[in-house]
Amino acid sequence: MVLEISPKRLRRLQEDASAWPELENDDIVAEIKSAILSKIVLVAGKDVKHANIHDWYIAAALTLRDRIVYQWFKSDQATQNHGAKRVYYLSLEFLIGRLLTDALTNMSLMGPFRTAIEDLGIDFDELRDVEPDAALGNGGLGRLAACFMESMASLAIPARGYGIRYEHGLFRQIVSDGWQEEFPEQWLLSGNPWEFERGDVVFDIQFGGHLDRIEKHGQESQTRWIPDETIQAIAYDTPIVGWRGRHVNALRLWSARAVDPMRLDTFNSGDHLGAMSEMARAQAISKFLYPSDETPAGRELRLRQEYFFVSASLQDILNRHLYTDGDLRSLPSHASIQLNDTHPSLAVPELMRLLMDKYHIGWDDALDITTKTISYTNHTLLPEALETWPVELFERMLPRHLDIIYRINVNHLATAEKHFGADTRSQASVSLIDETGGRRVRMGHLAFVGSHRINGVSAMHSELMRETVFADLNNLYPDRITNKTNGITFRRWLHQCNPELTSLLQEACGAAVLDEPERLRMLERLSDDPAFQQKFRAIKRTNKIALAQIIARQFGIVADPSALFDVQIKRIHEYKRQLLNAVEIVALYQAILADPQGNWTPRVKIFAGKAAASYRQAKLIIKFINDIGNVINNDPRIRDLLKVVFIPNYNVSAAEVIVPASDLSEQISTAGMEASGTGNMKLALNGAITIGTLDGANIEIAEHVGEENIYIFGLKADEVVRRRAMGLDATDVIASSPKLAGVIEAIERGVFSPDDVSRFVPIAHALRFLDYYLVSADFDDYYRTQRAVDTKWDSPEWTHSSILNVARMAWFSSDRTIREYAEDIWNVPVA
């Protein structure tokens, strides 16, 4: 049956943003069905009977988008009417995932849309799965940016996110014979119904060239940058819907193109590929997220990406401010620019350049405006993540910016000399230019000096910033570092990905728990209630069955839902210690073989995560996990006591299935190396109990859930420092640990690589002699703690702790984090 709606009625619905909530549910469903059918005809250009599932997805998304747009207009108009200060969030990553179910949940339209779509004969779950993940990020950094954008909209903070519209996001991971292989991820292959191309928002981005000094009698000399390359940035906007649909912000992503699409004279001469070389060079900037930086060309492209999106974003911000206020000197009162990690650090010299060269503001005023407007979030203490760039590369690509950085550094070092006196070591440590091993620009230092606030992302991380990597800068500018512990949006990571648990929480805590997560505390009185425990366990089992079915279908591995689902899902990196987990699996495997009749707890060990394409050791660890899984899963002596699963191509959608099904959350990084973590929060919120080190936000999670409801092991951060000072040789540890010695001996004998006995020799060698990440040093304590997990598993005590993890996680909402940013850093009101 074809539903019809009068043009007059349709026009009224489009113009009145509050029309749907005023309708009865049946009327809302009818309106949605009519709109979807119209989109099939008018957008897909097809008769309904010939529409495929992708056509139905596009029609549903556009129907919802129409609804969102009017609320977006209202939000933006209210911001302009009140002259509200805006937040601009600059991030090289936004791991936003699928938007259909996210927007439906936040608009309170999930029920009517599901009914409408299924009334039209379409399976809603199948339609939802058509949407590709927008994989514009690598892990926690990008997912945090997405959570923050959603929270800013939910709290009605006028904000705009800025990033790059990568044609291919983080690579698509395929595991072939246990090895990671990388393929282009093609999220835009069939179009993106959520975005609006802004063909009228185009900015020139320039590179290279040289500087001219213009001397004027009696005046300060002026510098003119004469670039030799210009490309263009084109804006694409995606609406980000807040909770209950009350406020909508925008995520603006930039795509790169050449000024001229091709050289026609070159094309006509027969060089057809050469004619398009300029376009290819320009488009490379927004082609891939994180191109390999193993080559000089790759490093140059990475720097071009960072400057490209920073320059386009700042030009846009200044244009907006001039339109609404007219005076750039008032910028700090009307705008707050947050740098998400070191990637956008070029915002400091670029904002200075624009203010001075384009708008003719003097140095002192420009520097004052810049530092009062910009703030910087540091996400890591790892040296490789605190970017540095060769001065030579800067001089060739961004000569004006290097010139500005030098001048900032002169003033900055003058301040340092007054503060430190003759202490040249301290002066060198705070310099924006690292003079050791070749001159390099320190991007973390640049962001620090050019910002009025610098925050860490967990209490421990912020304190380590003060004590280690930024110790001297903190001494010089003692009031700049503050802490803002990360959070997650409960809308996606509870309400959306675990609807049955959400319903149970509403039943136990009242419907208001959806708006007031603090009400989760009411679960504490039910944590020992047998009836409530039974309901809680039943939901967890349902989620585990769903994951087990996927594992069986995709990998042919039988995962018993009654077994302990032990999960480590995160980027593959040596400091995150997937290797420690894998080594413990081998030790457990050997222990079961030695005592097959022992009282062993059945476990399914689940891994997921991607290794950087050039990170050989991380990719070898993936192969090691898969190879030990191949041996263990096919060993009949083990029965179903131990299974190992590596789920490839980990993304937000995969996490939404794995997280609700998890029993044990592996957060086992080397102490002092994880800034915060947010996976630990998502898993605990869904009832997984954490096993982890005292690192990152694990410390604060332990404080909130109670030490008896979390499993902590391993060396502490100060003990890690002392152990490393003794050297990296772990032969003493191995000699005192028969289990660890047995694992290493099995690796060296090729038990898990019979086709290539030497394959995992680098892993064994690192465990013996290069134990920088303290895998060997922490092994025995980790193994003991895992056996303590076995003792408590599948008991009322386990369920009690699991419920208390949910009950005590409200503080880890990204809404709380954003409120703290708003009050302490941005100085913006919160709804």
Side-chain angles (χ1 to χ4, degrees):
M1 182 180 72
V2 177
L3 297 171
E4 294 183 354
I5 182 170
S6 71
K8 183 177 179 181
R9 173 66 169 156
L10 180 60
R11 189 163 55 251
R12 187 182 74 79
L13 284 170
Q14 291 172 333
E15 292 173 351
D16 184 0
S18 60
W20 281 3
E22 294 174 355
L23 299 173
E24 296 297 326
N25 189 66
D26 288 348
D27 292 332
I28 295 175
V29 171
E31 300 286 6
I32 294 170
K33 288 157 71 173
S34 178
I36 290 174
L37 289 169
S38 296
K39 298 292 185 189
I40 291 287
V41 175
L42 300 176
V43 176
K46 292 184 178 180
D47 184 85
V48 171
K49 64 184 179 182
H50 293 125
N52 59 36
I53 189 65
H54 184 266
D55 296 327
W56 286 104
Y57 158 68
I58 294 293
L62 290 176
T63 297
L64 179 59
R65 192 186 76 169
D66 287 350
R67 172 71 184 161
I68 293 167
V69 165
Y70 291 98
Q71 191 61 36
W72 188 9
F73 290 166
K74 289 177 65 176
S75 300
D76 203 52
Q77 189 61 54
T79 299
Q80 291 186 40
N81 292 343
H82 293 96
K85 187 176 184 179
R86 295 178 184 264
V87 174
Y88 300 103
Y89 197 82
L90 273 61
S91 178
L92 203 59
E93 298 184 34
F94 284 96
L95 197 57
I96 56 179
R98 291 171 173 163
L99 287 177
L100 178 64
T101 47
D102 193 51
L104 284 173
T105 300
N106 280 3
M107 293 290 288
S108 302
L109 289 170
M110 178 66 80
F113 258 81
R114 179 183 282 274
T115 300
I117 288 164
E118 295 190 342
D119 280 357
L120 291 167
I122 305 301
D123 185 285
F124 179 82
D125 294 326
E126 183 184 355
L127 178 142
R128 177 186 58 193
D129 291 344
V130 168
E131 181 177 7
D133 270 53
L136 307 182
N138 185 29
L141 180 75
R143 185 53 229 172
L144 182 79
C147 283
F148 278 6
M149 287 301 301
E150 197 267 3
S151 279
M152 283 186 266
S154 294
L155 298 174
I157 295 174
R160 176 173 286 180
Y162 283 106
I164 296 179
R165 182 181 178 267
Y166 304 103
E167 184 177 336
H168 304 284
L170 190 66
F171 61 83
R172 179 165 50 95
Q173 180 194 53
I174 291 178
V175 175
S176 177
D177 190 30
W179 290 102
Q180 170 180 294
E181 295 181 0
E182 303 91 26
F183 294 87
E185 182 279 330
Q186 302 186 73
W187 72 292
L188 290 173
L189 185 64
S190 299
N192 178 10
W194 300 107
E195 68 183 9
F196 295 85
E197 181 179 357
R198 305 300 193 193
D200 57 331
V201 182
V202 180
F203 294 105
D204 287 344
I205 314 296
Q206 297 166 322
F207 296 95
H210 63 277
L211 303 181
D212 274 354
R213 304 290 183 184
I214 304 172
E215 302 291 343
K216 292 188 178 181
H217 182 69
Q219 298 181 26
E220 185 178 355
S221 65
Q222 293 182 342
T223 301
R224 184 173 62 167
W225 179 22
I226 304 175
D228 59 15
E229 180 187 7
T230 300
I231 65 170
Q232 292 182 326
I234 304 97
Y236 288 77
D237 287 349
T238 298
I240 303 297
V241 184
W243 181 233
R244 305 293 189 190
R246 289 186 289 260
H247 188 91
V248 180
N249 285 323
L251 172 61
R252 175 159 285 184
L253 302 177
W254 301 103
S255 185
R257 73 180 184 195
V259 175
D260 295 312
M262 70 166 60
R263 295 285 302 274
L264 194 56
D265 56 343
T266 306
F267 186 88
N268 288 334
S269 72
D271 186 3
H272 301 149
L273 293 178
M276 294 181 285
S277 61
E278 290 184 14
M279 176 61 83
R281 177 171 167 80
Q283 290 180 338
I285 289 177
S286 54
K287 185 68 71 175
F288 286 100
L289 169 67
Y290 291 148
S292 174
D293 58 1
E294 284 194 308
T295 65
R299 290 189 287 274
E300 178 177 321
L301 179 55
R302 182 79 66 89
L303 185 57
R304 283 167 65 87
Q305 285 183 325
E306 293 181 3
Y307 177 64
F308 165 79
F309 105 91
V310 161
S311 179
S313 303
L314 289 175
Q315 290 183 67
D316 194 43
I317 291 167
L318 294 185
N319 276 9
R320 173 184 283 269
H321 179 74
L322 286 170
Y323 177 78
T324 57
D325 187 76
D327 182 5
L328 286 175
R329 286 174 172 79
S330 67
L331 184 67
S333 300
H334 294 272
S336 187
I337 298 172
Q338 187 71 37
L339 311 182
N340 191 30
D341 215 11
T342 56
H343 309 122
S345 298
L346 280 165
V348 174
E350 175 65 1
L351 184 53
M352 291 286 292
R353 183 190 73 83
L354 290 169
L355 292 172
M356 292 188 301
D357 296 0
K358 185 174 181 179
Y359 298 107
H360 310 296
I361 293 175
W363 174 271
D364 291 340
D365 286 344
L367 185 58
D368 184 60
I369 292 168
T370 296
T371 54
K372 286 181 178 177
T373 304
I374 292 176
S375 47
Y376 160 53
T377 300
N378 173 275
H379 283 278
T380 182
L381 306 177
L382 296 179
E384 65 266 27
L386 285 170
E387 289 181 320
T388 64
W389 295 104
V391 165
E392 179 277 328
L393 179 60
F394 244 95
E395 197 165 31
R396 176 164 50 83
M397 283 183 53
L398 300 168
R400 179 58 173 142
H401 299 78
L402 182 61
D403 182 57
I404 292 170
I405 290 168
Y406 279 155
R407 186 168 175 185
I408 292 174
N409 202 35
V410 168
N411 297 344
H412 164 60
L413 289 179
T415 302
E417 186 176 8
K418 291 178 183 177
H419 184 84
F420 295 120
D423 184 355
T424 55
R425 185 210 63 81
S426 294
Q427 290 185 45
S429 74
V430 300
S431 175
L432 304 187
I433 309 298
D434 183 358
E435 306 282 356
T436 60
R439 303 177 72 238
R440 302 178 70 88
V441 181
R442 292 166 162 160
M443 303 306 284
H445 282 45
L446 176 62
F448 192 112
V449 172
S451 301
H452 69 283
R453 276 285 187 275
I454 297 88
N455 71 279
V457 290
S458 71
M460 179 185 185
H461 171 234
S462 297
E463 192 56 36
L464 287 173
M465 282 171 57
R466 296 185 183 99
E467 295 175 356
T468 59
V469 66
F470 292 138
D472 289 321
L473 282 169
N474 180 60
N475 193 354
L476 189 59
Y477 306 105
D479 298 325
R480 292 196 183 181
I481 295 180
T482 183
N483 178 60
K484 298 290 168 278
T485 298
N486 285 342
I488 57 173
T489 171
F490 286 20
R491 270 79 61 174
R492 185 181 284 263
W493 295 110
L494 179 62
H495 308 163
Q496 183 179 321
C497 76
N498 203 342
E500 288 196 26
L501 179 58
T502 301
S503 296
L504 180 63
L505 299 179
Q506 288 181 270
E507 177 187 317
C509 307
V513 74
L514 298 178
D515 300 278
E516 303 169 23
E518 297 79 13
R519 286 175 170 259
L520 288 173
R521 278 280 181 178
M522 298 170 67
L523 292 177
E524 292 189 22
R525 60 186 170 84
L526 297 171
S527 62
D528 289 316
D529 181 85
F532 186 81
Q533 283 199 352
Q534 183 177 4
K535 292 179 181 178
F536 189 87
R537 284 195 299 268
I539 291 169
K540 178 67 75 173
R541 181 174 177 83
T542 297
N543 293 330
K544 292 171 70 175
I545 290 171
L547 178 57
Q549 289 173 342
I550 293 172
I551 290 171
R553 184 168 63 249
Q554 293 188 4
F555 312 111
I557 299 172
V558 177
D560 183 357
S562 64
L564 173 68
F565 278 23
D566 181 346
V567 171
Q568 188 172 16
I569 46 174
K570 54 183 74 250
R571 177 166 54 95
I572 309 297
H573 196 291
E574 288 173 276
Y575 90 83
K576 293 180 182 287
R577 299 204 295 189
Q578 285 89 355
L579 181 58
L580 176 60
N581 192 346
V583 167
E584 195 271 338
I585 292 172
V586 175
L588 178 59
Y589 171 59
Q590 293 177 332
I592 294 172
L593 290 179
D595 182 15
Q597 301 308 313
N599 186 26
W600 301 105
T601 293
R603 282 183 186 243
V604 180
K605 302 284 286 190
I606 298 171
F607 294 85
K610 298 178 181 180
S614 59
Y615 196 167
R616 294 181 180 86
Q617 189 72 356
K619 294 172 82 168
L620 186 63
I621 290 169
I622 291 176
K623 174 63 172 170
F624 182 57
I625 292 167
N626 280 283
D627 279 5
I628 64 175
N630 188 50
V631 171
I632 293 170
N633 296 340
N634 292 292
D635 190 334
R637 298 171 295 176
I638 295 299
R639 294 162 285 157
D640 289 326
L641 292 175
L642 184 59
K643 298 288 185 181
V644 182
V645 182
F646 188 97
I647 298 176
N649 205 39
Y650 180 58
N651 55 23
V652 175
S653 296
E656 289 173 351
V657 177
I658 299 170
V659 166
S662 302
D663 295 309
L664 187 67
S665 166
E666 298 273 354
Q667 308 297 329
I668 58 176
S669 54
T670 310
M673 300 195 75
E674 183 72 83
S676 170
T678 54
N680 46 9
M681 303 169 192
K682 296 161 193 165
L683 287 153
L685 178 64
N686 283 271
I689 298 176
T690 302
I691 181 170
T693 50
L694 284 174
D695 195 28
N698 287 354
I699 298 170
E700 287 150 294
I701 290 175
E703 291 170 354
H704 282 265
V705 305
E707 293 183 1
E708 68 280 10
N709 300 307
I710 189 171
Y711 291 94
I712 298 296
F713 75 95
L715 298 172
K716 300 179 177 65
D718 58 337
E719 295 170 333
V720 167
V721 173
R722 289 197 293 272
R723 173 72 197 186
R724 283 177 177 158
M726 296 167 57
L728 303 182
D729 191 302
T731 52
D732 59 331
V733 173
I734 297 166
S736 63
S737 174
K739 284 186 172 60
L740 179 58
V743 171
I744 296 173
E745 189 267 339
I747 293 171
E748 291 172 330
R749 283 194 296 113
V751 170
F752 305 103
S753 56
D755 58 319
D756 181 2
V757 173
S758 64
R759 178 181 298 143
F760 299 122
V761 166
I763 287 177
H765 182 78
L767 291 170
R768 287 190 186 278
F769 306 115
L770 298 171
D771 193 27
Y772 180 79
Y773 296 100
L774 288 304
V775 171
S776 294
D778 272 349
F779 169 79
D780 274 357
D781 198 12
Y782 179 57
Y783 186 89
R784 281 192 297 269
T785 306
Q786 287 283 23
R787 303 293 73 77
V789 169
D790 289 344
T791 301
K792 191 173 179 178
W793 164 247
D794 200 23
S795 67
E797 291 77 20
W798 180 276
T799 308
H800 166 82
S801 290
S802 181
I803 293 169
L804 289 181
N805 267 264
V806 178
R808 296 171 178 175
M809 285 301 294
W811 189 79
F812 295 94
S813 165
S814 53
D815 292 357
R816 183 270 313 159
T817 311
I818 290 300
R819 283 193 181 95
E820 292 182 5
Y821 273 95
E823 294 169 4
D824 188 40
I825 296 177
W826 302 333
N827 191 28
V828 296
V830 176

